[in-house]
Amino acid sequence: MVILPITLPGTFPERVLTITTIKDLAKYLNISVSTVSRALNNHHDVNQTTRENVLQAVEKLNYRPNSVARSLIHKKTYTIGLMVPDIADPFFSSIAVGVEQTLSNNGYQVIYGNTSRDSLKEKQFLESILDRKVDGVILTPNILDQESISTLEKLEIPRVLLRRRTPALLDIPFIDVDHYGGACKAINHLISKGHTNIGFLGMASDSFTSNERLRGYLDTMKKHQLKVSARNQKTAGRTIESGSFAMEALYRESPDITAVFASNDLIGIGALEWLKMEQINVPEQMAVIGFDNLEMSELYSFQLTTIAQPRKQMGQLAAELLLRIINEEENKDSIILETNLIERKTC
């Protein structure tokens, strides 16, 4: 039965009851169900007048397709799982925005899994999304160890790794940036400013990302025949507080360094905080460069020189890649994005 607009008595505006079947919409327009479906899905074989009539009717009748019926017709749930290690980290929150915007524009909902870098939570999330029968999943595991690789092998749904490289045993495309090349840019920039004794503040020692940035630091120093030593390298963590502690440890042990490469912006900002408290002038006495280009690195009190990676674009590309896999399209290759040097006031 078609539910038509109802004008209520009195001075109330026209109110429209929601219809939930495409059959009702087609009956109201006196056209076939297939024509309505093609118009709603923007098929090229529907003329512009018909498409406009359908869209006007959708708005007038407040058409909302029944999600269960839609799933049965297309054999999809139109939901995607997104697993991130720390949604409070501004890096991953920016990535999540890119993922969600792209998927929303394509009619999909996102189910979030914030794992707090806990392997048990990662396993629980993967089990839960299988129960929900999602159409695909975008994953950023904290560590790709043998157990997590085994879990990923068992997932029989489209998968994309985001900010993680795929181990040799897995056939999963990924979206990432060139961490090594970005680190080389950072060290070359410091060397161009006359620095020869440069320290490194890394993230976790088992972090692929941090180790790639460390490798770029070491190779560039060696390329310029500059000395590197273990005392000039400290494992910090991922937070502002850990960056402050690591900067103190680095400076106490190597007071002769004149520059520091922090492997993420939060560590770099922590280093700046400690240097400010110790009244060590930046960049006159100590230069600092970060990696990420977080919004807070632009703040006047920091003005951190950094290596930018396109965070939102990474999320968008991961979502687009997953949709291509779901739709069985071509071009399912992994993508490694370039980084850019952002010069501010700390070098």
Side-chain angles (χ1 to χ4, degrees), residues 59-83:
E59 184 175 354
K60 186 175 182 180
L61 299 180
N62 198 25
Y63 171 64
R64 296 290 183 272
N66 183 288
S67 59
V68 175
R70 184 169 177 243
S71 296
L72 289 172
I73 292 169
H74 297 284
K75 297 181 180 180
K76 295 179 181 178
T77 63
Y78 291 92
T79 55
I80 299 295
L82 173 61
M83 187 179 82

Side-chain angles (χ1 to χ4, degrees), residues 32-164:
S32 69
V33 171
S34 62
T35 299
V36 173
S37 177
R38 292 199 303 276
L40 291 175
N41 288 283
N42 204 29
H43 280 226
H44 61 84
D45 60 347
V46 179
N47 67 57
Q48 187 61 30
T49 301
T50 301
R51 182 178 289 109
E52 289 176 358
N53 288 339
V54 170
L55 294 177
Q56 288 172 7
V58 164
E59 184 175 354
K60 186 175 182 180
L61 299 180
N62 198 25
Y63 171 64
R64 296 290 183 272
N66 183 288
S67 59
V68 175
R70 184 169 177 243
S71 296
L72 289 172
I73 292 169
H74 297 284
K75 297 181 180 180
K76 295 179 181 178
T77 63
Y78 291 92
T79 55
I80 299 295
L82 173 61
M83 187 179 82
V84 294
D86 185 3
I87 197 64
D89 185 324
F91 177 86
F92 289 107
S93 59
S94 294
I95 280 183
V97 168
V99 170
E100 188 163 9
Q101 284 182 353
T102 301
L103 291 176
S104 178
N105 290 340
N106 285 275
Y108 284 80
Q109 297 292 321
V110 177
I111 299 173
Y112 280 92
N114 179 38
T115 63
S116 303
R117 303 185 187 278
D118 184 323
S119 58
L120 179 59
K121 287 185 178 181
E122 290 183 1
K123 183 179 179 181
Q124 290 171 340
F125 175 73
L126 292 176
E127 290 174 350
S128 72
I129 63 169
L130 288 175
D131 292 338
R132 292 171 182 263
K133 301 187 184 302
V134 299
D135 295 332
V137 62
I138 297 172
L139 303 159
T140 307
N142 187 44
I143 300 173
L144 279 168
D145 57 16
Q146 190 54 51
E147 184 177 0
S148 60
I149 290 173
S150 178
T151 302
L152 291 175
E153 282 180 321
K154 296 174 184 176
L155 286 178
E156 296 181 353
I157 56 174
R159 302 151 295 172
V160 169
L161 290 178
L162 177 54
R163 248 296 290 276
R164 295 291 182 267

Side-chain angles (χ1 to χ4, degrees), residues 297-315:
S297 66
E298 300 181 59
L299 295 176
Y300 180 79
S301 56
F302 301 127
Q303 286 292 293
L304 177 66
T305 295
T306 186
I307 301 298
Q309 48 182 330
R311 293 168 286 142
K312 187 176 178 181
Q313 184 188 10
M314 291 170 68

Side-chain angles (χ1 to χ4, degrees), residues 148-314:
S148 60
I149 290 173
S150 178
T151 302
L152 291 175
E153 282 180 321
K154 296 174 184 176
L155 286 178
E156 296 181 353
I157 56 174
R159 302 151 295 172
V160 169
L161 290 178
L162 177 54
R163 248 296 290 276
R164 295 291 182 267
R165 304 290 175 88
T166 308
L169 297 176
L170 291 175
D171 182 23
I172 303 176
F174 65 83
I175 305 292
D176 201 1
V177 299
D178 183 3
H179 305 286
Y180 175 85
C184 293
K185 290 176 185 177
I187 304 307
N188 279 321
H189 181 67
L190 292 173
I191 293 171
S192 73
K193 297 290 185 181
H195 298 283
T196 57
N197 196 353
I198 302 168
F200 175 81
L201 300 178
M203 294 181 278
S205 58
D206 56 2
S207 165
F208 169 83
T209 299
S210 184
N211 289 333
E212 279 294 281
R213 295 173 189 179
L214 172 60
R215 189 167 69 88
Y217 158 78
L218 294 172
D219 285 356
T220 307
M221 292 288 284
K222 291 174 183 176
K223 179 181 177 181
H224 289 272
Q225 299 181 328
L226 299 176
K227 292 183 179 180
V228 292
S229 65
R231 69 188 183 94
N232 283 6
Q233 304 164 41
K234 299 297 178 188
T235 300
R238 294 180 173 89
T239 66
I240 292 174
E241 184 180 28
S242 66
S244 180
F245 287 137
M247 183 69 240
E248 179 180 13
L250 178 62
Y251 189 80
R252 299 301 185 206
E253 194 168 339
S254 303
D256 52 338
I257 63 171
T258 63
V260 172
F261 171 40
S263 58
N264 77 15
D265 279 357
L266 296 180
I267 295 173
I269 288 169
L272 291 175
E273 289 282 274
W274 184 84
L275 291 167
K276 185 176 182 179
M277 288 189 293
E278 294 298 313
Q279 297 183 337
I280 298 171
N281 294 326
V282 177
E284 293 82 7
Q285 293 173 273
M286 183 72 68
V288 179
I289 188 168
F291 202 118
D292 283 342
N293 194 32
L294 300 180
E295 283 74 10
M296 66 175 66
S297 66
E298 300 181 59
L299 295 176
Y300 180 79
S301 56
F302 301 127
Q303 286 292 293
L304 177 66
T305 295
T306 186
I307 301 298
Q309 48 182 330
R311 293 168 286 142
K312 187 176 178 181
Q313 184 188 10
M314 291 170 68

